Amino acid sequence: MSKLERTLILVKPDGVERGLVGEVIRRFESRGLRLCGLKIVRPEKALVETHYAEHAGKPFYDALVDYLLSGPVVAMALEGENAIKACRATMGVTNAADAAPGTIRGDYALSIEKNIVHGSADAESASRELAVWFGAGEMV
Ligand code: UDP
Ligand code: MG
């Protein structure tokens, strides 16, 4: 079943630092996804903690929060048929060392920690995360 969805994608600080913002956007747009929100931000710690609340208490959590606070982040809302699953596939798996060539992580990263992009995992996360990063009126 195809469904029109919106999802949150972040270009994490390593992706911004390495000049990969345009490349990441290009890959999603080429796939057929439409940009409906876009901004560059230095997030507050509280915002990052809310975004990654599901990982609170895990061994990598503190380092993950510090990583998201280490530089500007590009946040985008993307819309399309089955956008959530499609974006995850275009990103590649979490551990970039295992990510297939041709995916963003598989082409631009090697580690499980610094892996260039975030993408919402499911519909519930997407709607929660979009509300964390975008205020009312910030999406078209
Ligand atoms: N992460 C990490 N160590 C781990 C697992 C995850 O540093 O063992 C980081 C990594 O940056 C990952 C993020 O935490 O992208 C969120 O983890 P999740 O399992 O939700 O992966 P994702 O949804 O980003 O693929
Ligand atoms: Mg996740």
Side-chain angles (χ1 to χ4, degrees):
M1 258 270 293
S2 78
K3 40 189 183 309
L4 188 63
E5 293 176 331
R6 281 188 179 189
T7 189
L8 176 81
I9 297 293
L10 303 176
V11 185
K12 293 170 169 181
D14 55 328
V16 176
E17 166 71 22
R18 289 173 54 192
L20 294 172
V21 174
E23 175 65 15
V24 169
I25 293 174
R26 187 192 65 75
R27 286 175 180 231
F28 288 122
E29 285 193 311
S30 301
R31 188 88 195 265
L33 293 146
R34 291 179 294 279
L35 267 173
C36 43
L38 181 65
K39 62 178 167 184
I40 186 161
V41 285
R42 286 298 301 256
E44 300 283 343
K45 188 173 190 186
L47 187 151
V48 172
E49 288 174 340
T50 304
H51 170 76
Y52 275 132
E54 70 187 283
H55 295 306
K58 294 183 184 172
F60 60 85
Y61 176 73
D62 289 348
L64 174 60
V65 171
D66 286 348
Y67 163 40
L68 266 285
L69 294 173
S70 67
V73 173
V74 169
M76 67 190 94
L78 290 172
E79 182 180 78
E81 300 291 329
N82 302 303
I84 297 166
K85 193 175 161 194
C87 285
R88 295 284 300 192
T90 291
M91 288 161 52
V93 296
T94 306
N95 186 353
D98 295 330
T103 65
I104 293 167
R105 286 166 167 170
D107 286 349
Y108 295 110
L110 282 170
S111 95
I112 193 169
E113 291 151 348
K114 301 223 160 97
N115 54 12
I116 310 286
V117 282
H118 165 84
S120 304
D122 52 39
E124 192 192 330
S125 305
S127 105
R128 190 184 70 79
E129 292 171 3
L130 285 166
V132 167
W133 290 88
F134 289 96
E138 285 190 314
M139 286 186 283
V140 298

